[in-house]
Short mmCIF file of all heavy atoms in Angstrom, two decimals:
data_model
loop_
_atom_site.label_atom_id
_atom_site.label_comp_id
_atom_site.label_asym_id
_atom_site.label_seq_id
_atom_site.Cartn_x
_atom_site.Cartn_y
_atom_site.Cartn_z
N ILE V 32 -8.80 5.52 -15.12
CA ILE V 32 -7.81 4.48 -15.19
C ILE V 32 -6.48 5.05 -14.75
O ILE V 32 -6.06 6.03 -15.24
CB ILE V 32 -7.78 3.81 -16.54
CG1 ILE V 32 -9.12 3.33 -16.99
CG2 ILE V 32 -6.72 2.70 -16.62
CD1 ILE V 32 -9.21 2.95 -18.50
N LEU V 33 -5.84 4.35 -13.77
CA LEU V 33 -4.54 4.65 -13.37
C LEU V 33 -3.58 3.55 -13.77
O LEU V 33 -3.91 2.36 -13.55
CB LEU V 33 -4.49 4.86 -11.86
CG LEU V 33 -5.37 5.93 -11.22
CD1 LEU V 33 -5.28 5.87 -9.70
CD2 LEU V 33 -5.14 7.28 -11.83
N HIS V 34 -2.49 3.90 -14.43
CA HIS V 34 -1.49 2.86 -14.75
C HIS V 34 -0.15 3.20 -14.14
O HIS V 34 0.36 4.36 -14.37
CB HIS V 34 -1.32 2.81 -16.32
CG HIS V 34 -0.61 1.51 -16.77
ND1 HIS V 34 0.63 1.27 -16.37
CD2 HIS V 34 -1.06 0.54 -17.53
CE1 HIS V 34 0.98 0.08 -16.84
NE2 HIS V 34 -0.09 -0.40 -17.62
N ALA V 35 0.32 2.32 -13.24
CA ALA V 35 1.49 2.58 -12.44
C ALA V 35 2.82 2.15 -13.09
O ALA V 35 3.80 1.73 -12.46
CB ALA V 35 1.40 1.93 -11.10
N GLY V 36 2.87 2.28 -14.45
CA GLY V 36 4.16 2.07 -15.17
C GLY V 36 4.43 0.71 -15.62
O GLY V 36 3.81 -0.28 -15.27
N ASP V 37 5.44 0.64 -16.46
CA ASP V 37 5.86 -0.49 -17.26
C ASP V 37 4.69 -0.92 -18.22
O ASP V 37 4.30 -2.08 -18.36
CB ASP V 37 6.29 -1.72 -16.41
CG ASP V 37 7.78 -1.56 -16.05
OD1 ASP V 37 8.39 -0.61 -16.43
OD2 ASP V 37 8.28 -2.51 -15.41
N VAL V 38 4.26 0.19 -18.87
CA VAL V 38 3.29 -0.03 -20.00
C VAL V 38 4.04 -0.61 -21.17
O VAL V 38 3.57 -1.52 -21.80
CB VAL V 38 2.79 1.39 -20.33
CG1 VAL V 38 1.74 1.26 -21.57
CG2 VAL V 38 2.17 2.11 -19.18
N CYS V 39 5.27 -0.06 -21.38
CA CYS V 39 6.24 -0.44 -22.38
C CYS V 39 5.93 0.13 -23.81
O CYS V 39 6.84 0.24 -24.58
CB CYS V 39 6.46 -1.96 -22.41
SG CYS V 39 7.14 -2.56 -20.88
N THR V 40 4.71 0.42 -24.09
CA THR V 40 4.39 1.10 -25.38
C THR V 40 3.12 1.97 -25.12
O THR V 40 2.15 1.50 -24.50
CB THR V 40 4.19 0.12 -26.48
OG1 THR V 40 3.74 0.80 -27.68
CG2 THR V 40 3.14 -0.99 -26.22
N ALA V 41 3.20 3.17 -25.71
CA ALA V 41 2.06 4.12 -25.54
C ALA V 41 0.79 3.62 -26.18
O ALA V 41 -0.26 4.09 -25.78
CB ALA V 41 2.46 5.46 -26.05
N ASP V 42 0.90 2.65 -27.05
CA ASP V 42 -0.32 2.07 -27.68
C ASP V 42 -1.28 1.60 -26.63
O ASP V 42 -2.50 1.68 -26.83
CB ASP V 42 -0.05 0.99 -28.62
CG ASP V 42 0.79 1.48 -29.87
OD1 ASP V 42 0.75 2.68 -30.13
OD2 ASP V 42 1.41 0.64 -30.55
N VAL V 43 -0.82 1.00 -25.51
CA VAL V 43 -1.66 0.54 -24.46
C VAL V 43 -2.42 1.70 -23.82
O VAL V 43 -3.62 1.57 -23.63
CB VAL V 43 -0.80 -0.20 -23.38
CG1 VAL V 43 -1.67 -0.51 -22.19
CG2 VAL V 43 -0.21 -1.46 -24.00
N LEU V 44 -1.79 2.80 -23.61
CA LEU V 44 -2.45 3.96 -23.01
C LEU V 44 -3.51 4.49 -23.93
O LEU V 44 -4.61 4.90 -23.52
CB LEU V 44 -1.43 5.04 -22.73
CG LEU V 44 -0.37 4.56 -21.67
CD1 LEU V 44 0.70 5.61 -21.50
CD2 LEU V 44 -1.04 4.17 -20.30
N VAL V 45 -3.25 4.46 -25.22
CA VAL V 45 -4.21 4.90 -26.22
C VAL V 45 -5.41 3.96 -26.20
O VAL V 45 -6.56 4.35 -26.16
CB VAL V 45 -3.63 5.02 -27.65
CG1 VAL V 45 -4.72 5.24 -28.65
CG2 VAL V 45 -2.55 6.05 -27.65
N GLU V 46 -5.17 2.63 -26.11
CA GLU V 46 -6.19 1.60 -26.05
C GLU V 46 -7.05 1.80 -24.82
O GLU V 46 -8.29 1.83 -24.87
CB GLU V 46 -5.60 0.28 -26.15
CG GLU V 46 -6.64 -0.92 -26.02
CD GLU V 46 -5.91 -2.26 -25.97
OE1 GLU V 46 -4.70 -2.32 -25.70
OE2 GLU V 46 -6.61 -3.26 -26.23
N LEU V 47 -6.41 2.02 -23.65
CA LEU V 47 -7.13 2.23 -22.38
C LEU V 47 -7.97 3.47 -22.47
O LEU V 47 -9.09 3.52 -21.84
CB LEU V 47 -6.14 2.26 -21.22
CG LEU V 47 -5.41 1.06 -20.92
CD1 LEU V 47 -4.31 1.23 -19.87
CD2 LEU V 47 -6.40 -0.12 -20.51
N SER V 48 -7.55 4.53 -23.13
CA SER V 48 -8.24 5.81 -23.20
C SER V 48 -9.61 5.64 -23.90
O SER V 48 -10.49 6.53 -23.74
CB SER V 48 -7.39 6.86 -23.97
OG SER V 48 -6.26 7.12 -23.24
N ALA V 49 -9.77 4.56 -24.62
CA ALA V 49 -11.11 4.35 -25.23
C ALA V 49 -12.20 3.98 -24.15
O ALA V 49 -13.38 4.11 -24.41
CB ALA V 49 -11.05 3.20 -26.24
N TYR V 50 -11.71 3.54 -22.97
CA TYR V 50 -12.62 3.18 -21.83
C TYR V 50 -12.87 4.33 -20.97
O TYR V 50 -14.05 4.57 -20.49
CB TYR V 50 -11.99 2.02 -21.09
CG TYR V 50 -11.97 0.75 -21.83
CD1 TYR V 50 -10.80 0.37 -22.49
CD2 TYR V 50 -13.08 -0.11 -21.87
CE1 TYR V 50 -10.75 -0.83 -23.22
CE2 TYR V 50 -13.02 -1.29 -22.57
CZ TYR V 50 -11.85 -1.66 -23.26
OH TYR V 50 -11.75 -2.88 -23.95
N ALA V 51 -11.83 5.11 -20.62
CA ALA V 51 -11.97 6.21 -19.61
C ALA V 51 -10.69 7.05 -19.65
O ALA V 51 -9.70 6.58 -20.24
CB ALA V 51 -12.22 5.63 -18.19
N PRO V 52 -10.76 8.22 -19.10
CA PRO V 52 -9.49 8.99 -19.02
C PRO V 52 -8.38 8.21 -18.22
O PRO V 52 -8.74 7.46 -17.30
CB PRO V 52 -9.90 10.23 -18.14
CG PRO V 52 -11.37 10.38 -18.38
CD PRO V 52 -11.85 8.90 -18.49
N VAL V 53 -7.14 8.38 -18.69
CA VAL V 53 -5.95 7.62 -18.17
C VAL V 53 -4.95 8.53 -17.62
O VAL V 53 -4.60 9.54 -18.25
CB VAL V 53 -5.40 6.74 -19.30
CG1 VAL V 53 -4.13 5.96 -18.76
CG2 VAL V 53 -6.38 5.79 -19.89
N HIS V 54 -4.44 8.18 -16.43
CA HIS V 54 -3.25 8.85 -15.86
C HIS V 54 -2.21 7.72 -15.72
O HIS V 54 -2.53 6.60 -15.22
CB HIS V 54 -3.52 9.46 -14.53
CG HIS V 54 -4.42 10.63 -14.59
ND1 HIS V 54 -4.01 11.89 -14.99
CD2 HIS V 54 -5.75 10.74 -14.27
CE1 HIS V 54 -5.00 12.73 -14.97
NE2 HIS V 54 -6.12 12.05 -14.55
N ALA V 55 -0.92 7.97 -16.14
CA ALA V 55 0.04 6.90 -16.03
C ALA V 55 1.34 7.54 -15.54
O ALA V 55 1.61 8.76 -15.78
CB ALA V 55 0.25 6.27 -17.39
N VAL V 56 2.22 6.78 -14.99
CA VAL V 56 3.56 7.20 -14.65
C VAL V 56 4.58 6.20 -15.39
O VAL V 56 4.19 5.16 -15.79
CB VAL V 56 3.89 7.15 -13.14
CG1 VAL V 56 3.04 8.21 -12.42
CG2 VAL V 56 3.61 5.78 -12.51
N LEU V 57 5.76 6.73 -15.51
CA LEU V 57 6.80 6.00 -16.27
C LEU V 57 7.34 4.84 -15.38
O LEU V 57 7.58 5.01 -14.20
CB LEU V 57 8.00 6.90 -16.60
CG LEU V 57 7.75 7.91 -17.72
CD1 LEU V 57 8.95 8.85 -17.78
CD2 LEU V 57 7.50 7.22 -19.08
N GLY V 58 7.52 3.69 -16.05
CA GLY V 58 8.13 2.59 -15.33
C GLY V 58 9.59 2.39 -15.92
O GLY V 58 9.98 3.09 -16.86
N ASN V 59 10.36 1.58 -15.28
CA ASN V 59 11.72 1.32 -15.69
C ASN V 59 11.87 0.71 -17.06
O ASN V 59 12.91 0.74 -17.64
CB ASN V 59 12.53 0.52 -14.67
CG ASN V 59 11.89 -0.83 -14.40
OD1 ASN V 59 10.75 -0.90 -13.91
ND2 ASN V 59 12.61 -1.85 -14.58
N ASN V 60 10.76 0.21 -17.63
CA ASN V 60 10.83 -0.49 -19.01
C ASN V 60 10.09 0.36 -19.99
O ASN V 60 9.96 -0.06 -21.17
CB ASN V 60 10.22 -1.87 -18.95
CG ASN V 60 11.08 -2.84 -18.25
OD1 ASN V 60 12.16 -3.10 -18.67
ND2 ASN V 60 10.60 -3.37 -17.11
N ASP V 61 9.65 1.55 -19.61
CA ASP V 61 8.96 2.44 -20.50
C ASP V 61 9.88 3.27 -21.43
O ASP V 61 10.93 3.74 -20.97
CB ASP V 61 7.99 3.35 -19.80
CG ASP V 61 6.78 2.58 -19.20
OD1 ASP V 61 6.43 1.56 -19.76
OD2 ASP V 61 6.30 2.96 -18.17
N GLY V 62 9.49 3.37 -22.70
CA GLY V 62 10.28 4.15 -23.67
C GLY V 62 9.87 5.55 -23.83
O GLY V 62 9.00 6.10 -23.11
N GLN V 63 10.49 6.23 -24.77
CA GLN V 63 10.25 7.62 -25.02
C GLN V 63 8.83 7.90 -25.51
O GLN V 63 8.25 8.92 -25.23
CB GLN V 63 11.22 8.11 -26.14
CG GLN V 63 12.67 8.26 -25.57
CD GLN V 63 12.69 9.31 -24.38
OE1 GLN V 63 12.07 10.29 -24.41
NE2 GLN V 63 13.43 8.88 -23.40
N ASP V 64 8.18 6.83 -26.15
CA ASP V 64 6.76 7.09 -26.63
C ASP V 64 5.85 7.21 -25.45
O ASP V 64 4.90 7.95 -25.48
CB ASP V 64 6.34 6.04 -27.56
CG ASP V 64 6.27 4.64 -26.92
OD1 ASP V 64 7.07 4.32 -26.05
OD2 ASP V 64 5.42 3.81 -27.42
N VAL V 65 6.09 6.49 -24.30
CA VAL V 65 5.26 6.61 -23.13
C VAL V 65 5.43 7.96 -22.46
O VAL V 65 4.48 8.61 -22.04
CB VAL V 65 5.53 5.47 -22.18
CG1 VAL V 65 4.70 5.57 -20.84
CG2 VAL V 65 5.27 4.15 -22.81
N ALA V 66 6.71 8.40 -22.45
CA ALA V 66 6.95 9.79 -21.91
C ALA V 66 6.30 10.85 -22.81
O ALA V 66 5.73 11.79 -22.25
CB ALA V 66 8.48 10.04 -21.83
N ALA V 67 6.45 10.70 -24.12
CA ALA V 67 5.79 11.58 -25.08
C ALA V 67 4.35 11.64 -24.95
O ALA V 67 3.68 12.62 -25.15
CB ALA V 67 6.25 11.26 -26.53
N TRP V 68 3.73 10.48 -24.59
CA TRP V 68 2.32 10.43 -24.28
C TRP V 68 1.85 11.32 -23.13
O TRP V 68 0.81 11.87 -23.15
CB TRP V 68 1.85 8.97 -24.11
CG TRP V 68 0.40 8.78 -23.82
CD1 TRP V 68 -0.58 8.54 -24.77
CD2 TRP V 68 -0.20 8.76 -22.56
NE1 TRP V 68 -1.78 8.44 -24.13
CE2 TRP V 68 -1.60 8.59 -22.79
CE3 TRP V 68 0.17 8.98 -21.23
CZ2 TRP V 68 -2.59 8.62 -21.77
CZ3 TRP V 68 -0.72 9.00 -20.26
CH2 TRP V 68 -2.09 8.76 -20.52
N GLY V 69 2.84 11.54 -22.26
CA GLY V 69 2.57 12.42 -21.17
C GLY V 69 2.76 11.81 -19.78
O GLY V 69 2.37 12.39 -18.75
N ALA V 70 3.35 10.63 -19.73
CA ALA V 70 3.52 9.91 -18.37
C ALA V 70 4.78 10.53 -17.78
O ALA V 70 5.92 10.36 -18.28
CB ALA V 70 3.68 8.43 -18.60
N PRO V 71 4.66 11.12 -16.53
CA PRO V 71 5.83 11.59 -15.86
C PRO V 71 6.35 10.47 -14.86
O PRO V 71 5.72 9.42 -14.78
CB PRO V 71 5.23 12.76 -14.94
CG PRO V 71 3.79 12.27 -14.67
CD PRO V 71 3.43 11.50 -15.93
N GLU V 72 7.41 10.75 -14.18
CA GLU V 72 8.02 9.79 -13.25
C GLU V 72 7.10 9.63 -12.01
O GLU V 72 7.04 8.53 -11.51
CB GLU V 72 9.45 10.19 -12.82
CG GLU V 72 10.42 9.88 -13.98
CD GLU V 72 11.82 10.10 -13.58
OE1 GLU V 72 12.16 9.98 -12.39
OE2 GLU V 72 12.60 10.41 -14.44
N THR V 73 6.57 10.73 -11.55
CA THR V 73 5.64 10.67 -10.42
C THR V 73 4.44 11.60 -10.78
O THR V 73 4.54 12.45 -11.62
CB THR V 73 6.21 11.18 -9.08
OG1 THR V 73 6.53 12.52 -9.15
CG2 THR V 73 7.39 10.31 -8.68
N LEU V 74 3.31 11.35 -10.13
CA LEU V 74 2.12 12.14 -10.40
C LEU V 74 1.32 12.20 -9.09
O LEU V 74 1.28 11.30 -8.31
CB LEU V 74 1.29 11.39 -11.44
CG LEU V 74 0.02 12.05 -12.01
CD1 LEU V 74 0.34 13.40 -12.65
CD2 LEU V 74 -0.65 11.20 -13.01
N GLU V 75 0.70 13.34 -8.84
CA GLU V 75 -0.17 13.55 -7.73
C GLU V 75 -1.51 14.10 -8.26
O GLU V 75 -1.48 14.91 -9.12
CB GLU V 75 0.46 14.55 -6.67
CG GLU V 75 1.75 13.97 -6.09
CD GLU V 75 2.32 14.76 -4.97
OE1 GLU V 75 1.56 15.03 -3.98
OE2 GLU V 75 3.48 15.16 -5.07
N LEU V 76 -2.59 13.46 -7.85
CA LEU V 76 -3.91 13.75 -8.31
C LEU V 76 -4.86 14.01 -7.14
O LEU V 76 -4.67 13.41 -6.05
CB LEU V 76 -4.50 12.57 -9.12
CG LEU V 76 -3.64 12.03 -10.27
CD1 LEU V 76 -4.19 10.62 -10.62
CD2 LEU V 76 -3.76 12.96 -11.40
N ASP V 77 -5.86 14.79 -7.38
CA ASP V 77 -6.94 14.93 -6.38
C ASP V 77 -8.16 14.30 -6.94
O ASP V 77 -8.67 14.83 -8.00
CB ASP V 77 -7.15 16.46 -6.06
CG ASP V 77 -8.15 16.69 -5.04
OD1 ASP V 77 -9.23 16.06 -5.02
OD2 ASP V 77 -7.94 17.51 -4.12
N LEU V 78 -8.63 13.27 -6.45
CA LEU V 78 -9.80 12.60 -6.92
C LEU V 78 -10.98 13.01 -6.05
O LEU V 78 -11.36 12.27 -5.12
CB LEU V 78 -9.65 11.05 -6.92
CG LEU V 78 -8.47 10.52 -7.70
CD1 LEU V 78 -8.48 9.01 -7.76
CD2 LEU V 78 -8.46 11.08 -9.13
N GLY V 79 -11.51 14.17 -6.27
CA GLY V 79 -12.69 14.63 -5.52
C GLY V 79 -12.41 14.78 -3.98
O GLY V 79 -13.27 14.68 -3.20
N GLY V 80 -11.10 15.08 -3.63
CA GLY V 80 -10.71 15.22 -2.21
C GLY V 80 -9.83 14.12 -1.74
O GLY V 80 -9.16 14.34 -0.69
N LEU V 81 -9.74 13.03 -2.45
CA LEU V 81 -8.84 11.92 -2.06
C LEU V 81 -7.51 12.28 -2.78
O LEU V 81 -7.46 12.37 -3.99
CB LEU V 81 -9.36 10.59 -2.55
CG LEU V 81 -8.43 9.42 -2.22
CD1 LEU V 81 -8.45 9.09 -0.69
CD2 LEU V 81 -8.84 8.21 -2.97
N ARG V 82 -6.43 12.49 -2.04
CA ARG V 82 -5.13 12.82 -2.56
C ARG V 82 -4.37 11.54 -2.96
O ARG V 82 -4.04 10.77 -2.00
CB ARG V 82 -4.40 13.66 -1.60
CG ARG V 82 -5.16 15.06 -1.47
CD ARG V 82 -4.61 15.75 -0.27
NE ARG V 82 -4.72 14.87 0.99
CZ ARG V 82 -4.53 15.24 2.17
NH1 ARG V 82 -4.19 16.43 2.47
NH2 ARG V 82 -4.73 14.33 3.15
N VAL V 83 -4.16 11.36 -4.18
CA VAL V 83 -3.49 10.10 -4.71
C VAL V 83 -2.12 10.47 -5.39
O VAL V 83 -2.08 11.38 -6.19
CB VAL V 83 -4.39 9.40 -5.75
CG1 VAL V 83 -3.69 8.13 -6.29
CG2 VAL V 83 -5.77 9.01 -5.14
N ALA V 84 -1.11 9.71 -4.99
CA ALA V 84 0.22 9.90 -5.61
C ALA V 84 0.53 8.64 -6.33
O ALA V 84 0.02 7.53 -6.02
CB ALA V 84 1.29 10.13 -4.55
N MET V 85 1.23 8.68 -7.44
CA MET V 85 1.62 7.55 -8.29
C MET V 85 3.11 7.54 -8.49
O MET V 85 3.70 8.57 -8.76
CB MET V 85 0.86 7.55 -9.55
CG MET V 85 -0.59 7.34 -9.46
SD MET V 85 -1.41 7.43 -11.07
CE MET V 85 -0.71 6.11 -11.93
#
Side-chain angles (χ1 to χ4, degrees):
I32 300 166
L33 303 179
H34 197 299
D37 277 1
V38 181
C39 299
T40 175
D42 293 343
V43 172
L44 299 171
V45 172
E46 181 182 16
L47 293 172
S48 295
Y50 293 95
V53 177
H54 292 283
V56 292
L57 288 171
N59 58 300
N60 288 297
D61 289 328
Q63 289 300 319
D64 65 328
V65 177
W68 180 89
E72 288 188 24
T73 64
L74 184 62
E75 295 185 59
L76 307 164
D77 184 314
L78 302 184
L81 180 72
R82 296 164 303 189
V83 178
M85 295 175 62

